Amino acid sequence: MAKNECWPPKVRYSLAAVMTLVFATSALAEIDGHGPDAWRVTGIASNDTLNVRMGPGTNYPVIEQFAHNERNLQQITCVPFYNAGHYTALTQAQIAALPQRWCLMRTAAMDKAGWVAQRFITPDQSGEVQAQAPSQGYTAAQDAAAQKDEDGFDYVVEDARVLVEMLYYHQIETDAAGGPGPLDSVNSSMYFTDEIVAWLKSGKVQAHPLFGAQDFDGLVQSPTPDPDRPMFRGMVTINVDFTNFGQPQRAVFYVRADPTKPGAPSRIFKVEHDGWSYP
C-alpha cells in the first residue's frame, strides 16, 4: 500500500499555548513560515511510500511517490497558510476548525513535486546547512581555528546554533500541525545523543525538555552562542532565552560532535534549565 495520509498524530506535550518564535536567520524567517531549507519524509514504514498528490487533499489524484526515507526535499508553500504569529492569534475553536495542513514539496533535483500531508515531513539536517559547513567528522581535539573561514566565521558554532534553532522550529510546527515532533523517538536522534534519546523514551520526563515547565505561554528568542565561551575543547554552548507566563528564563544547550554516528554530526548532549538539567 502507498497511502498513509490518515496516520494518527502523536500525543502532543501539554503546552498552554503555542509559542511565537523569533528567528534571526533568513532560512527560518520566510514570510509564510516555511522554516528549514531541507526536509525529509518521516512516519512511513520502510516497506511503504508516501503519496504525492496533485492538490492539497486526498480527493486529488496521486501523481508521484516519495520514498519512506526521501531526504533533502524543498518546501514551496503550505495550506492553510499561517506562521507562528498567525497561529497564536487564533482561538482554540478556530484552531480546532482548521483542516489538515498540506505542503507542496519537490525534490532537490526538481524531478518530482506535489502535495503531501505535513505530518509526514520533518526538518532534514542532511540538507544545505550542514552540506555547506565543513564540520562533519571533526573531533573535539581538532583546533577550533581550523573550522573558521577567512572572515573568521566559525562553522562549528553555527552548525550547533542551527541545530538548536531547528529543534525549536520543529516543536512549533508540531504544535501547530501535529505529527511526530522533535522529542518523539522517530526524530529525537536528529538532535540529541543516544543518552538523551533514551531519557526521552524512559517515561521519567516530568517537565517539557525545551521549556522546563509543564505549561508554556510566552516568547522564544533566536538561539545564540554563549558570548563568553561559545566553544571550548570541541563543546559549543548555545543559549535560548524566553519568557514563560511573563517570567524570563534561559535554556542552555551543550553541543558536540557525536562520533557514534556516521560523519560525527553535531548533537545536543546536555541541557540546563534553572534548577535542573538532563540527562
Side-chain angles (χ1 to χ4, degrees), residues 4-275:
N4 289 311
E5 288 94 348
C6 297
W7 190 274
K10 299 276 187 177
V11 176
R12 300 178 188 175
Y13 283 79
S14 56
L15 304 181
V18 178
M19 60 185 173
T20 300
L21 187 59
V22 180
F23 279 152
T25 61
S26 60
L28 298 178
E30 300 177 35
I31 190 168
D32 55 353
H34 288 177
D37 287 343
W39 300 79
R40 66 179 177 88
V41 172
T42 186
I44 302 297
S46 60
N47 62 346
D48 206 350
T49 55
L50 176 62
N51 283 341
V52 180
R53 294 183 176 271
M54 187 179 290
T58 56
N59 55 313
Y60 287 93
V62 175
I63 55 174
E64 298 284 357
Q65 292 178 338
F66 290 150
H68 75 279
N69 58 352
E70 193 90 42
R71 310 197 75 144
N72 204 24
L73 294 169
Q74 297 173 356
Q75 188 178 102
I76 300 171
T77 192
C78 295
V79 293
F81 172 87
Y82 57 75
N83 58 28
H86 301 148
Y87 187 85
T88 55
L90 299 175
T91 66
Q92 289 301 312
Q94 288 173 322
I95 291 172
L98 286 174
Q100 176 180 252
R101 202 175 197 207
W102 288 73
C103 294
L104 180 57
M105 308 297 295
R106 69 186 179 194
T107 58
M110 300 187 190
D111 57 341
K112 290 192 292 186
W115 293 86
V116 301
Q118 190 192 46
R119 63 177 175 272
F120 295 114
I121 56 173
T122 191
D124 184 3
Q125 286 187 253
S126 69
E128 183 176 318
V129 171
Q130 284 198 342
Q132 292 178 347
S135 58
Q136 296 185 20
Y138 79 93
T139 64
Q142 197 169 2
D143 184 0
Q147 304 299 319
K148 297 181 180 181
D149 65 13
E150 59 185 8
D151 296 320
F153 182 80
D154 196 321
Y155 288 108
V156 175
V157 173
E158 176 63 8
D159 193 43
R161 189 197 66 77
V162 169
L163 177 70
V164 176
E165 190 164 64
M166 289 178 70
L167 172 67
Y168 276 89
Y169 184 90
H170 192 173
Q171 184 64 54
I172 275 199
E173 287 294 303
T174 299
D175 290 323
L183 307 177
D184 290 299
S185 58
V186 69
N187 292 320
S188 56
S189 61
M190 290 174 52
Y191 304 99
F192 301 102
T193 58
D194 291 344
E195 189 176 10
I196 292 185
V197 170
W199 175 76
L200 291 170
K201 292 180 180 178
S202 68
K204 299 178 181 178
V205 182
Q206 300 299 314
H208 197 288
L210 302 189
F211 307 116
Q214 293 292 337
D215 299 317
F216 179 82
D217 185 4
L219 178 71
V220 180
Q221 302 296 326
S222 181
T224 57
D226 186 83
D228 297 322
R229 181 173 282 183
M231 182 171 179
F232 180 68
R233 295 181 178 176
M235 179 187 75
V236 180
T237 304
I238 303 294
N239 300 326
V240 178
D241 292 311
F242 58 93
T243 57
N244 192 11
F245 292 96
Q247 298 299 311
Q249 297 183 42
R250 169 174 286 184
V252 181
F253 292 80
Y254 298 95
V255 184
R256 65 186 175 200
D258 187 347
T260 67
K261 295 179 172 60
S266 295
R267 291 295 183 267
I268 299 161
F269 70 93
K270 184 177 181 180
V271 182
E272 292 181 347
H273 289 280
D274 185 20

